[in-house]
mmCIF file of all heavy atoms in Angstrom:
data_model
loop_
_atom_site.group_PDB
_atom_site.id
_atom_site.type_symbol
_atom_site.label_atom_id
_atom_site.label_comp_id
_atom_site.label_asym_id
_atom_site.label_seq_id
_atom_site.Cartn_x
_atom_site.Cartn_y
_atom_site.Cartn_z
ATOM 1 N N LEU A 7 0.854 -1.189 0.000
ATOM 2 C CA LEU A 7 0.000 0.000 0.000
ATOM 3 C C LEU A 7 0.889 1.237 0.000
ATOM 4 O O LEU A 7 1.865 1.304 0.754
ATOM 5 C CB LEU A 7 -0.926 -0.003 1.216
ATOM 6 C CG LEU A 7 -2.020 1.070 1.246
ATOM 7 C CD1 LEU A 7 -3.330 0.487 1.760
ATOM 8 C CD2 LEU A 7 -1.593 2.255 2.111
ATOM 9 N N ILE A 8 0.570 2.208 -0.858
ATOM 10 C CA ILE A 8 1.359 3.436 -0.974
ATOM 11 C C ILE A 8 0.429 4.622 -0.746
ATOM 12 O O ILE A 8 -0.666 4.694 -1.327
ATOM 13 C CB ILE A 8 2.024 3.548 -2.361
ATOM 14 C CG1 ILE A 8 2.933 2.337 -2.611
ATOM 15 C CG2 ILE A 8 2.822 4.849 -2.473
ATOM 16 C CD1 ILE A 8 3.560 2.315 -3.989
ATOM 17 N N VAL A 9 0.869 5.548 0.096
ATOM 18 C CA VAL A 9 0.092 6.744 0.414
ATOM 19 C C VAL A 9 0.854 7.979 -0.073
ATOM 20 O O VAL A 9 2.062 8.110 0.181
ATOM 21 C CB VAL A 9 -0.188 6.852 1.928
ATOM 22 C CG1 VAL A 9 -0.932 8.144 2.253
ATOM 23 C CG2 VAL A 9 -0.978 5.646 2.411
ATOM 24 N N ASP A 10 0.128 8.862 -0.770
ATOM 25 C CA ASP A 10 0.686 10.131 -1.225
ATOM 26 C C ASP A 10 0.380 11.193 -0.176
ATOM 27 O O ASP A 10 -0.784 11.405 0.192
ATOM 28 C CB ASP A 10 0.070 10.510 -2.577
ATOM 29 C CG ASP A 10 0.410 11.940 -2.985
ATOM 30 O OD1 ASP A 10 1.510 12.411 -2.615
ATOM 31 O OD2 ASP A 10 -0.423 12.568 -3.661
ATOM 32 N N HIS A 11 1.424 11.876 0.306
ATOM 33 C CA HIS A 11 1.262 12.899 1.339
ATOM 34 C C HIS A 11 1.436 14.313 0.796
ATOM 35 O O HIS A 11 1.490 15.270 1.570
ATOM 36 C CB HIS A 11 2.264 12.668 2.477
ATOM 37 C CG HIS A 11 2.109 11.341 3.142
ATOM 38 N ND1 HIS A 11 1.071 11.034 3.995
ATOM 39 C CD2 HIS A 11 2.873 10.217 3.063
ATOM 40 C CE1 HIS A 11 1.196 9.791 4.430
ATOM 41 N NE2 HIS A 11 2.286 9.267 3.882
ATOM 42 N N GLY A 12 1.562 14.442 -0.512
ATOM 43 C CA GLY A 12 1.787 15.758 -1.089
ATOM 44 C C GLY A 12 3.256 16.119 -1.125
ATOM 45 O O GLY A 12 4.100 15.460 -0.492
ATOM 46 N N GLU A 13 3.586 17.131 -1.891
ATOM 47 C CA GLU A 13 4.969 17.589 -2.049
ATOM 48 C C GLU A 13 5.868 16.456 -2.568
ATOM 49 O O GLU A 13 7.059 16.429 -2.271
ATOM 50 C CB GLU A 13 5.539 18.122 -0.737
ATOM 51 C CG GLU A 13 4.830 19.347 -0.181
ATOM 52 C CD GLU A 13 5.499 19.850 1.085
ATOM 53 O OE1 GLU A 13 5.324 19.197 2.142
ATOM 54 O OE2 GLU A 13 6.212 20.854 1.010
ATOM 55 N N THR A 14 5.272 15.527 -3.316
ATOM 56 C CA THR A 14 5.966 14.349 -3.884
ATOM 57 C C THR A 14 6.581 13.454 -2.809
ATOM 58 O O THR A 14 7.575 12.779 -3.042
ATOM 59 C CB THR A 14 7.054 14.769 -4.892
ATOM 60 O OG1 THR A 14 8.076 15.498 -4.215
ATOM 61 C CG2 THR A 14 6.467 15.613 -6.022
ATOM 62 N N TYR A 15 5.971 13.456 -1.610
ATOM 63 C CA TYR A 15 6.374 12.528 -0.546
ATOM 64 C C TYR A 15 5.425 11.324 -0.563
ATOM 65 O O TYR A 15 4.194 11.473 -0.639
ATOM 66 C CB TYR A 15 6.315 13.198 0.832
ATOM 67 C CG TYR A 15 7.479 14.117 1.115
ATOM 68 C CD1 TYR A 15 7.373 15.486 0.901
ATOM 69 C CD2 TYR A 15 8.671 13.612 1.617
ATOM 70 C CE1 TYR A 15 8.432 16.343 1.173
ATOM 71 C CE2 TYR A 15 9.747 14.459 1.892
ATOM 72 C CZ TYR A 15 9.620 15.810 1.666
ATOM 73 O OH TYR A 15 10.672 16.650 1.940
ATOM 74 N N LEU A 16 5.990 10.132 -0.478
ATOM 75 C CA LEU A 16 5.224 8.894 -0.438
ATOM 76 C C LEU A 16 5.651 8.064 0.765
ATOM 77 O O LEU A 16 6.830 8.043 1.126
ATOM 78 C CB LEU A 16 5.444 8.068 -1.712
ATOM 79 C CG LEU A 16 5.066 8.685 -3.052
ATOM 80 C CD1 LEU A 16 5.476 7.758 -4.187
ATOM 81 C CD2 LEU A 16 3.585 8.986 -3.117
ATOM 82 N N SER A 17 4.692 7.375 1.373
ATOM 83 C CA SER A 17 5.013 6.369 2.390
ATOM 84 C C SER A 17 4.556 5.019 1.850
ATOM 85 O O SER A 17 3.486 4.897 1.244
ATOM 86 C CB SER A 17 4.329 6.676 3.730
ATOM 87 O OG SER A 17 2.923 6.744 3.583
ATOM 88 N N ILE A 18 5.378 3.982 2.055
ATOM 89 C CA ILE A 18 5.179 2.674 1.439
ATOM 90 C C ILE A 18 5.114 1.631 2.553
ATOM 91 O O ILE A 18 6.018 1.544 3.397
ATOM 92 C CB ILE A 18 6.317 2.359 0.458
ATOM 93 C CG1 ILE A 18 6.382 3.450 -0.625
ATOM 94 C CG2 ILE A 18 6.146 0.987 -0.163
ATOM 95 C CD1 ILE A 18 7.612 3.378 -1.489
ATOM 96 N N TYR A 19 4.054 0.812 2.521
ATOM 97 C CA TYR A 19 3.810 -0.195 3.547
ATOM 98 C C TYR A 19 3.712 -1.561 2.858
ATOM 99 O O TYR A 19 2.789 -1.789 2.052
ATOM 100 C CB TYR A 19 2.513 0.103 4.303
ATOM 101 C CG TYR A 19 2.383 1.552 4.753
ATOM 102 C CD1 TYR A 19 1.975 2.541 3.856
ATOM 103 C CD2 TYR A 19 2.662 1.938 6.056
ATOM 104 C CE1 TYR A 19 1.849 3.862 4.252
ATOM 105 C CE2 TYR A 19 2.542 3.261 6.467
ATOM 106 C CZ TYR A 19 2.138 4.221 5.550
ATOM 107 O OH TYR A 19 2.021 5.544 5.944
ATOM 108 N N ALA A 20 4.645 -2.474 3.162
ATOM 109 C CA ALA A 20 4.708 -3.747 2.442
ATOM 110 C C ALA A 20 4.730 -4.922 3.419
ATOM 111 O O ALA A 20 4.898 -4.746 4.632
ATOM 112 C CB ALA A 20 5.942 -3.787 1.553
ATOM 113 N N ASN A 21 4.550 -6.122 2.876
ATOM 114 C CA ASN A 21 4.576 -7.387 3.628
ATOM 115 C C ASN A 21 3.320 -7.576 4.472
ATOM 116 O O ASN A 21 3.290 -8.378 5.403
ATOM 117 C CB ASN A 21 5.818 -7.452 4.530
ATOM 118 C CG ASN A 21 6.213 -8.870 4.904
ATOM 119 O OD1 ASN A 21 6.329 -9.726 4.042
ATOM 120 N ND2 ASN A 21 6.406 -9.120 6.187
ATOM 121 N N ASN A 22 2.249 -6.839 4.134
ATOM 122 C CA ASN A 22 1.035 -6.867 4.942
ATOM 123 C C ASN A 22 0.257 -8.171 4.756
ATOM 124 O O ASN A 22 0.280 -8.785 3.683
ATOM 125 C CB ASN A 22 0.134 -5.693 4.562
ATOM 126 C CG ASN A 22 0.808 -4.357 4.801
ATOM 127 O OD1 ASN A 22 1.033 -3.968 5.937
ATOM 128 N ND2 ASN A 22 1.138 -3.661 3.726
ATOM 129 N N GLU A 23 -0.465 -8.532 5.813
ATOM 130 C CA GLU A 23 -1.376 -9.664 5.714
ATOM 131 C C GLU A 23 -2.606 -9.273 4.896
ATOM 132 O O GLU A 23 -3.076 -10.036 4.048
ATOM 133 C CB GLU A 23 -1.788 -10.132 7.108
ATOM 134 C CG GLU A 23 -2.799 -11.274 7.103
ATOM 135 C CD GLU A 23 -3.358 -11.542 8.486
ATOM 136 O OE1 GLU A 23 -3.435 -10.605 9.304
ATOM 137 O OE2 GLU A 23 -3.730 -12.693 8.739
ATOM 138 N N SER A 24 -3.132 -8.089 5.163
ATOM 139 C CA SER A 24 -4.316 -7.617 4.438
ATOM 140 C C SER A 24 -4.243 -6.105 4.296
ATOM 141 O O SER A 24 -3.553 -5.414 5.062
ATOM 142 C CB SER A 24 -5.598 -8.023 5.176
ATOM 143 O OG SER A 24 -5.622 -7.437 6.473
ATOM 144 N N LEU A 25 -4.962 -5.600 3.300
ATOM 145 C CA LEU A 25 -5.048 -4.166 3.045
ATOM 146 C C LEU A 25 -6.453 -3.694 3.398
ATOM 147 O O LEU A 25 -7.449 -4.309 2.978
ATOM 148 C CB LEU A 25 -4.737 -3.865 1.566
ATOM 149 C CG LEU A 25 -3.372 -4.352 1.075
ATOM 150 C CD1 LEU A 25 -3.209 -4.063 -0.411
ATOM 151 C CD2 LEU A 25 -2.241 -3.716 1.873
ATOM 152 N N LEU A 26 -6.530 -2.611 4.160
ATOM 153 C CA LEU A 26 -7.819 -2.116 4.638
ATOM 154 C C LEU A 26 -8.310 -0.910 3.851
ATOM 155 O O LEU A 26 -9.447 -0.460 4.072
ATOM 156 C CB LEU A 26 -7.722 -1.751 6.128
ATOM 157 C CG LEU A 26 -7.203 -2.862 7.058
ATOM 158 C CD1 LEU A 26 -7.156 -2.371 8.493
ATOM 159 C CD2 LEU A 26 -8.066 -4.101 6.935
ATOM 160 N N LYS A 27 -7.505 -0.387 2.957
ATOM 161 C CA LYS A 27 -7.878 0.773 2.153
ATOM 162 C C LYS A 27 -7.707 0.441 0.677
ATOM 163 O O LYS A 27 -6.970 -0.476 0.303
ATOM 164 C CB LYS A 27 -7.031 1.987 2.516
ATOM 165 C CG LYS A 27 -7.181 2.457 3.967
ATOM 166 C CD LYS A 27 -8.580 3.002 4.241
ATOM 167 C CE LYS A 27 -8.690 3.523 5.671
ATOM 168 N NZ LYS A 27 -10.036 4.074 5.968
ATOM 169 N N GLN A 28 -8.373 1.218 -0.150
ATOM 170 C CA GLN A 28 -8.298 1.042 -1.587
ATOM 171 C C GLN A 28 -7.764 2.307 -2.236
ATOM 172 O O GLN A 28 -7.703 3.376 -1.606
ATOM 173 C CB GLN A 28 -9.696 0.707 -2.165
ATOM 174 C CG GLN A 28 -10.276 -0.588 -1.633
ATOM 175 C CD GLN A 28 -11.656 -0.857 -2.185
ATOM 176 O OE1 GLN A 28 -12.241 -0.022 -2.890
ATOM 177 N NE2 GLN A 28 -12.198 -2.037 -1.891
ATOM 178 N N VAL A 29 -7.371 2.176 -3.510
ATOM 179 C CA VAL A 29 -6.856 3.328 -4.238
ATOM 180 C C VAL A 29 -7.912 4.428 -4.267
ATOM 181 O O VAL A 29 -9.099 4.182 -4.541
ATOM 182 C CB VAL A 29 -6.463 2.919 -5.671
ATOM 183 C CG1 VAL A 29 -6.065 4.149 -6.483
ATOM 184 C CG2 VAL A 29 -5.330 1.906 -5.640
ATOM 185 N N GLY A 30 -7.481 5.630 -3.943
ATOM 186 C CA GLY A 30 -8.387 6.782 -3.929
ATOM 187 C C GLY A 30 -8.893 7.145 -2.561
ATOM 188 O O GLY A 30 -9.398 8.260 -2.357
ATOM 189 N N ASP A 31 -8.764 6.229 -1.586
ATOM 190 C CA ASP A 31 -9.242 6.526 -0.237
ATOM 191 C C ASP A 31 -8.344 7.574 0.419
ATOM 192 O O ASP A 31 -7.111 7.516 0.335
ATOM 193 C CB ASP A 31 -9.249 5.266 0.623
ATOM 194 C CG ASP A 31 -10.331 4.286 0.228
ATOM 195 O OD1 ASP A 31 -11.204 4.669 -0.574
ATOM 196 O OD2 ASP A 31 -10.279 3.127 0.700
ATOM 197 N N ALA A 32 -8.998 8.538 1.092
ATOM 198 C CA ALA A 32 -8.260 9.516 1.890
ATOM 199 C C ALA A 32 -8.026 8.932 3.273
ATOM 200 O O ALA A 32 -8.890 8.231 3.823
ATOM 201 C CB ALA A 32 -9.035 10.822 1.982
ATOM 202 N N VAL A 33 -6.864 9.169 3.829
ATOM 203 C CA VAL A 33 -6.528 8.654 5.159
ATOM 204 C C VAL A 33 -6.048 9.801 6.025
ATOM 205 O O VAL A 33 -5.478 10.794 5.534
ATOM 206 C CB VAL A 33 -5.454 7.556 5.090
ATOM 207 C CG1 VAL A 33 -5.956 6.366 4.302
ATOM 208 C CG2 VAL A 33 -4.172 8.089 4.490
ATOM 209 N N ALA A 34 -6.297 9.674 7.331
ATOM 210 C CA ALA A 34 -5.791 10.629 8.309
ATOM 211 C C ALA A 34 -4.648 9.977 9.076
ATOM 212 O O ALA A 34 -4.485 8.752 9.063
ATOM 213 C CB ALA A 34 -6.908 11.050 9.261
ATOM 214 N N ALA A 35 -3.862 10.804 9.732
ATOM 215 C CA ALA A 35 -2.754 10.271 10.529
ATOM 216 C C ALA A 35 -3.293 9.336 11.595
ATOM 217 O O ALA A 35 -4.228 9.679 12.327
ATOM 218 C CB ALA A 35 -1.967 11.407 11.161
ATOM 219 N N GLY A 36 -2.750 8.125 11.657
ATOM 220 C CA GLY A 36 -3.170 7.154 12.651
ATOM 221 C C GLY A 36 -4.255 6.214 12.193
ATOM 222 O O GLY A 36 -4.602 5.278 12.924
ATOM 223 N N ASP A 37 -4.821 6.434 10.985
ATOM 224 C CA ASP A 37 -5.828 5.510 10.478
ATOM 225 C C ASP A 37 -5.214 4.138 10.208
ATOM 226 O O ASP A 37 -4.089 4.038 9.692
ATOM 227 C CB ASP A 37 -6.435 6.045 9.179
ATOM 228 C CG ASP A 37 -7.451 7.150 9.422
ATOM 229 O OD1 ASP A 37 -7.749 7.415 10.604
ATOM 230 O OD2 ASP A 37 -7.933 7.735 8.433
ATOM 231 N N ALA A 38 -5.958 3.074 10.548
ATOM 232 C CA ALA A 38 -5.509 1.719 10.219
ATOM 233 C C ALA A 38 -5.694 1.495 8.724
ATOM 234 O O ALA A 38 -6.809 1.619 8.210
ATOM 235 C CB ALA A 38 -6.284 0.694 11.023
ATOM 236 N N ILE A 39 -4.618 1.191 8.034
ATOM 237 C CA ILE A 39 -4.673 1.022 6.584
ATOM 238 C C ILE A 39 -4.354 -0.405 6.155
ATOM 239 O O ILE A 39 -4.618 -0.785 5.013
ATOM 240 C CB ILE A 39 -3.711 2.005 5.886
ATOM 241 C CG1 ILE A 39 -2.282 1.814 6.399
ATOM 242 C CG2 ILE A 39 -4.171 3.441 6.093
ATOM 243 C CD1 ILE A 39 -1.251 2.696 5.727
ATOM 244 N N ALA A 40 -3.777 -1.217 7.058
ATOM 245 C CA ALA A 40 -3.420 -2.596 6.731
ATOM 246 C C ALA A 40 -3.162 -3.346 8.027
ATOM 247 O O ALA A 40 -3.243 -2.768 9.125
ATOM 248 C CB ALA A 40 -2.179 -2.637 5.835
ATOM 249 N N THR A 41 -2.880 -4.645 7.907
ATOM 250 C CA THR A 41 -2.482 -5.454 9.066
ATOM 251 C C THR A 41 -1.179 -6.182 8.740
ATOM 252 O O THR A 41 -0.941 -6.570 7.599
ATOM 253 C CB THR A 41 -3.560 -6.491 9.438
ATOM 254 O OG1 THR A 41 -3.803 -7.339 8.320
ATOM 255 C CG2 THR A 41 -4.854 -5.807 9.857
ATOM 256 N N THR A 42 -0.353 -6.359 9.760
ATOM 257 C CA THR A 42 0.970 -6.959 9.550
ATOM 258 C C THR A 42 0.857 -8.430 9.179
ATOM 259 O O THR A 42 -0.075 -9.121 9.563
ATOM 260 C CB THR A 42 1.826 -6.831 10.818
ATOM 261 O OG1 THR A 42 1.116 -7.416 11.913
ATOM 262 C CG2 THR A 42 2.136 -5.379 11.112
ATOM 263 N N GLY A 43 1.866 -8.904 8.422
ATOM 264 C CA GLY A 43 1.894 -10.305 8.007
ATOM 265 C C GLY A 43 3.250 -10.676 7.455
ATOM 266 O O GLY A 43 4.279 -10.107 7.849
#
């Protein structure tokens, strides 16, 4: 899962068991976006 934070900054979350968000979803700081795996 990759999140765009603006100013061409990206955060990348890999090796997850499951993904809780889909492309286009807006997220806030601290939102659960995936589960570890």
Side-chain angles (χ1 to χ4, degrees):
L7 189 139
I8 301 176
V9 177
D10 169 31
H11 300 287
E13 297 183 285
T14 65
Y15 283 96
L16 300 175
S17 58
I18 302 169
Y19 313 80
N21 203 50
N22 299 291
E23 177 190 29
S24 61
L25 303 177
L26 306 180
K27 298 293 183 179
Q28 298 178 354
V29 174
D31 289 349
V33 298
D37 283 355
I39 57 177
T41 58
T42 56

